[in-house]
Amino acid sequence: MTLPQAGSDPVTVRAPRSIPEASVARLAVYLRMLGELAEQGADTVSSEELAAATGVNSAKLRKDLSYIGSYGIRGVGYSVSALIHQLERALGLNHRQAVALIGVGNLGHALAGYGGFGGRGFPVTALFDVDPDLVGIHINGILVDHVRDIPTTCRERGITIGMIATPGPAAQGICDALVEAGVRCILNFAPVVLQVPEEVEVRKVDLAVELQILAFHVARKRLVVEGAEVDGESLAVPDAQANGHPVNGTSNGGIR
Amino acid sequence: MTLPQAGSDPVTVRAPRSIPEASVARLAVYLRMLGELAEQGADTVSSEELAAATGVNSAKLRKDLSYIGSYGIRGVGYSVSALIHQLERALGLNHRQAVALIGVGNLGHALAGYGGFGGRGFPVTALFDVDPDLVGIHINGILVDHVRDIPTTCRERGITIGMIATPGPAAQGICDALVEAGVRCILNFAPVVLQVPEEVEVRKVDLAVELQILAFHVARKRLVVEGAEVDGESLAVPDAQANGHPVNGTSNGGIR
DNA sequence: GCAACTTTGTGCGTGCCTTCACAAGCGGCT
DNA sequence: AGCCGCTTGTGAAGGCACGCACAAAGTTGC
């Protein structure tokens, strides 16, 4: 029942007990908040409290948690420490994930120096660039290697996640190198759609697109305020509640 | 038909012709790709081509475009320049949107120096911080002001969008100041859920959460490879196609 | 030990988003 | 001028996600 039916399907074994992608994203949020609660000395937390703190519906939160098992106590709530443990296990955080960062330009440099990754179990253990002025320097104690060393270095250090912060045109080549190095998960900041084999997971972060979405809402609000369309056509969005940002979709690049 | 029924509803006029949030995000992606195509001298583009280039289903692309009007030519495709114009209009990019950035630390500094914003119609025209060592310096030719000046400066410069790149605990206060300054759209990099009035739009970008989602997929792939669960429970995701990242949801902070 | 209260876990209805499939429309070719 | 092929735009269906509301289960008080 919970076992993958090994070999039942010659092609990619579809694993059971699936967790919706949307829930996975929220589980990570719950985990962060639980960490804060633990620091504050909280022992247990109810779904209602945790939901309020993370800005979601409490029923949705309970359903999300139910995907990873039944670790709540009826009438009481959830044990903070136990829930943290289960979430870390479910999210695969019980193994440290070494991260490689490619592209130490403007954004890349900031990402390399940003302590939030290592602090949350994602130590950046390899840096790469092509710029001769950058290759050889140290950032946060980590040597910047040349991108040609990606395959060997990544394998040596057991890198599981790659972050691409290069200019758009370079991204696909870097991506290919990472895939060759055995990296199966990539966080892409470059403004391109990466072509990858089926087994590789890509997430895209595009800051320019985020701003454009906001700009759309600015325009919409302006329309509502003025009470009429500005130059011919009107635009709107159905609801757009205060905090929920329904979909990211396949967002496109934003780092130049 | 296309006109907002002005005043039909005393409370917040629900505008017609609504565009799904998911589509808005993709429209921004199409726009970027169209810009590249225009540079390459493309005159027209079919939905199939544009869909392939942006990694979406062509029917979905056509439906997305249909929300902003019928600007395609059957049997031919879309005029690249005309479509760019219409998308810019629909996304509210015909007015320049001035952006304020609060928090010039690690990430904020990179964002301030990142040219991709101004280049795409979002000039960062105001910087703020609390750190006396930072207030007064110039980044990319822009003076860093003290956060206490947010209300006045933002109103003076007609800021419509705020980006919060402060540590988590400071974010809510900054957010309140921005709202007071009349800013109605906020891009939040801080790891907190911002409380805002109903009319304010908040989008959240959380890099740590992005990595955790990837870590989940790493763990899932490991399970599939090993063909059995590692420590008791198995985890999986229904499909997770190569490029589509369905939902962002209310993601939580990642900048410390 | 029983009753009342609290909180979890989930079945179900609703609505949005995605995808298929096709009619309508436009240009090019003869 | 008429036909053919190509592409758009959209109706309809399916799937997913959200949120309500409630039963199950555990705790507290008497």
Side-chain angles (χ1 to χ4, degrees), chain B:
Chain B
M1 196 93 169
T2 55
L3 291 174
Q5 320 109 308
S8 67
D9 188 341
V11 197
T12 323
V13 182
R14 279 279 168 249
R17 181 85 82 97
S18 71
I19 304 180
E21 183 86 4
S23 294
V24 174
R26 284 190 298 268
L27 290 177
V29 178
Y30 306 150
L31 178 57
R32 167 182 293 279
M33 184 55 67
L34 284 167
E36 287 184 25
L37 290 173
E39 277 181 22
Q40 294 166 17
D43 216 39
T44 63
V45 66
S46 71
S47 63
E48 204 73 48
E49 292 164 353
L50 190 53
T54 51
V56 304
N57 181 298
S58 69
K60 179 156 60 174
L61 183 144
R62 287 196 298 276
K63 187 153 283 186
D64 287 341
L65 292 181
S66 76
Y67 289 120
I68 66 170
S70 291
Y71 301 111
I73 305 166
R74 291 165 192 245
V76 178
Y78 299 87
S79 156
V80 172
S81 61
L83 194 51
I84 287 177
H85 177 73
Q86 293 302 333
L87 279 172
E88 287 180 342
R89 186 185 52 74
L91 291 175
L93 300 179
N94 38 3
H95 314 77
R96 282 225 143 199
Q97 311 272 5
V99 177
L101 172 62
I102 301 91
V104 195
N106 216 324
L107 183 68
H109 202 291
L111 293 175
Y114 165 50
F117 294 145
R120 294 200 64 80
F122 299 102
V124 176
T125 56
L127 299 174
F128 300 96
D129 207 304
V130 280
D131 187 341
D133 293 342
L134 293 172
V135 172
I137 71 169
H138 288 260
I139 299 176
N140 258 22
I142 304 175
L143 178 68
V144 178
D145 286 323
H146 194 276
V147 294
R148 82 171 77 85
D149 298 327
I150 288 177
T152 54
T153 306
C154 285
R155 284 197 182 280
E156 274 172 18
R157 304 187 192 171
I159 302 271
T160 52
I161 297 178
M163 292 197 292
I164 300 180
T166 66
Q172 184 63 58
I174 298 297
C175 174
D176 295 342
L178 285 172
V179 171
E180 187 193 333
V183 173
R184 290 290 169 269
C185 290
I186 294 175
L187 187 56
N188 179 29
F189 291 87
V192 293
V193 179
L194 294 177
Q195 305 298 324
V196 293
E198 189 182 6
E199 73 272 15
V200 177
E201 187 77 21
V202 178
R203 287 190 69 85
K204 217 174 309 178
V205 174
D206 188 328
L207 303 177
V209 166
E210 295 294 324
L211 282 181
Q212 288 185 350
I213 295 169
L214 283 180
F216 170 79
H217 290 292
V218 171
R220 186 173 64 89
K221 288 172 200 300
R222 184 178 301 144
L223 285 177
V224 171
V225 169
E226 294 177 1
E229 71 271 37
V230 180
D231 59 354
E233 302 279 350
S234 62
L235 31 105
V237 119
D239 190 5
Q241 63 188 26
N243 248 331
H245 298 306
V247 179
N248 201 346
T250 299
S251 54
N252 203 348
I255 274 59
R256 182 61 54 104

Side-chain angles (χ1 to χ4, degrees), chain A:
Chain A
M1 195 91 170
T2 55
L3 291 174
Q5 320 106 309
S8 67
D9 188 340
V11 197
T12 323
V13 181
R14 281 280 168 249
R17 181 83 83 95
S18 71
I19 304 180
E21 184 87 3
S23 293
V24 174
R26 284 190 298 269
L27 290 177
V29 179
Y30 305 150
L31 178 56
R32 166 182 292 279
M33 185 54 68
L34 284 168
E36 286 185 25
L37 290 173
E39 277 180 23
Q40 294 166 17
D43 217 39
T44 63
V45 65
S46 72
S47 64
E48 204 73 49
E49 292 164 353
L50 190 53
T54 52
V56 303
N57 180 295
S58 68
K60 180 157 60 174
L61 182 145
R62 288 196 297 275
K63 188 159 287 187
D64 287 340
L65 292 181
S66 75
Y67 288 121
I68 65 171
S70 290
Y71 302 110
I73 304 166
R74 292 165 192 245
V76 178
Y78 299 87
S79 156
V80 172
S81 61
L83 194 52
I84 286 176
H85 177 73
Q86 293 301 333
L87 278 171
E88 286 180 342
R89 187 185 54 74
L91 291 175
L93 300 179
N94 37 3
H95 314 79
R96 280 223 145 200
Q97 311 271 5
V99 177
L101 172 63
I102 300 92
V104 194
N106 217 324
L107 183 68
H109 201 290
L111 294 175
Y114 165 50
F117 294 144
R120 294 200 65 80
F122 300 101
V124 175
T125 56
L127 300 174
F128 301 96
D129 208 303
V130 281
D131 188 340
D133 293 342
L134 293 173
V135 172
I137 71 170
H138 288 259
I139 299 176
N140 259 22
I142 303 175
L143 179 68
V144 177
D145 286 321
H146 194 277
V147 293
R148 82 172 77 87
D149 297 327
I150 287 176
T152 54
T153 305
C154 286
R155 285 197 183 278
E156 274 172 19
R157 303 187 192 172
I159 302 271
T160 53
I161 297 177
M163 293 196 293
I164 299 180
T166 67
Q172 184 63 57
I174 298 298
C175 174
D176 295 342
L178 285 171
V179 171
E180 187 193 331
V183 174
R184 290 290 169 269
C185 289
I186 294 175
L187 188 57
N188 180 29
F189 290 87
V192 292
V193 179
L194 295 176
Q195 304 299 322
V196 293
E198 190 182 6
E199 72 273 15
V200 177
E201 187 77 21
V202 178
R203 286 190 71 83
K204 216 175 309 179
V205 174
D206 188 326
L207 303 178
V209 166
E210 294 294 325
L211 282 181
Q212 287 185 350
I213 295 168
L214 284 180
F216 169 81
H217 289 292
V218 171
R220 187 174 62 89
K221 289 173 199 301
R222 184 177 303 144
L223 284 177
V224 171
V225 170
E226 294 179 359
E229 72 272 34
V230 180
D231 59 355
E233 301 278 349
S234 63
L235 31 106
V237 118
D239 190 3
Q241 63 187 28
N243 247 333
H245 299 306
V247 178
N248 201 346
T250 299
S251 53
N252 203 349
I255 274 61
R256 181 64 51 103

